[in-house]
C-alpha cells in the first residue's frame, strides 16, 4: 500500500515509530509526518516541576511551519502533567515541549 488516499490525496511518512526506530515500510509522498522521540529515550532538561525537550522534525522535510499535534503517553501519573499538548517555538524543523507537574 502506498499510503495515499485517492479521494483526498492524503499521504503519510513516518520517520520514527513509537519506540524511536526507523520504520520498515516504504516511504510514500510527504504531506503528513508522524513520529516519536521513542519511549524512554526523550532527552528531558529542567528541574523538578518544570521539564522541557526539543523535538527534531528535520527528517520530515517540511518546507514551512506545520501544524503540530502532540501527546504524552504513559502508565501512570502523566495525567497530572500540564503542557504536553502545547508545543512552543514550532518551526519547519522542530518544536519545544515544556511540561509542568509534580
Amino acid at each position: 500500500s502506498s499510503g495515499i488516499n485517492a479521494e483526498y490525496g492524503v499521504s503519510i511518512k513516518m520517520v520514527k515509530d513509537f519506540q524511536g526506530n526507523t520504520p520498515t515500510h516504504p516511504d510514500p509522498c510527504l504531506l503528513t509526518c508522524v513520529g516519536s522521540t521513542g519511549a524512554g529515550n526523550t532527552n528531558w532538561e529542567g528541574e523538578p516541576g518544570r521539564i522541557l525537550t526539543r523535538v527534531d522534525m528535520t527528517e520530515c522535510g517540511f518546507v514551512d511551519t506545520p501544524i503540530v499535534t502532540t501527546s504524552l503517553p504513559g502508565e501512570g501519573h502523566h495525567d497530572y502533567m500540564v503542557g504536553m499538548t502545547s508545543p512552543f517555538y514550532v518551526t519547519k524543523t522542530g518544536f519545544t515541549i515544556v511540561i509542568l507537574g509534580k
Side-chain angles (χ1 to χ4, degrees):
S1 169
S2 68
I4 297 174
N5 178 309
E7 182 177 347
Y8 297 107
V10 176
S11 180
I12 297 174
K13 176 180 181 180
M14 181 180 286
V15 295
K16 298 289 181 187
D17 64 16
F18 179 72
Q19 298 300 323
N21 300 315
T22 301
T24 57
H25 304 292
D27 289 338
C29 178
L30 173 66
L31 292 176
T32 301
C33 185
V34 298
S36 171
T37 56
N41 296 317
T42 305
N43 183 28
W44 294 105
E45 303 172 20
E47 64 268 353
R50 184 182 187 279
I51 58 174
L52 64 92
T53 192
R54 176 83 180 146
V55 178
D56 182 358
M57 300 189 304
T58 305
E59 288 185 59
C60 293
F62 291 120
V63 296
D64 205 347
T65 303
I67 296 170
V68 173
T69 303
T70 63
S71 66
L72 180 67
E75 295 182 12
H77 302 292
H78 65 289
D79 54 336
Y80 294 122
M81 303 297 121
V82 174
M84 62 272 211
T85 59
S86 304
F88 288 89
Y89 314 115
V90 179
T91 69
K92 65 183 181 180
T93 60
F95 61 92
T96 299
I97 288 289
V98 178
I99 298 180
L100 307 174
K102 296 179 180 183

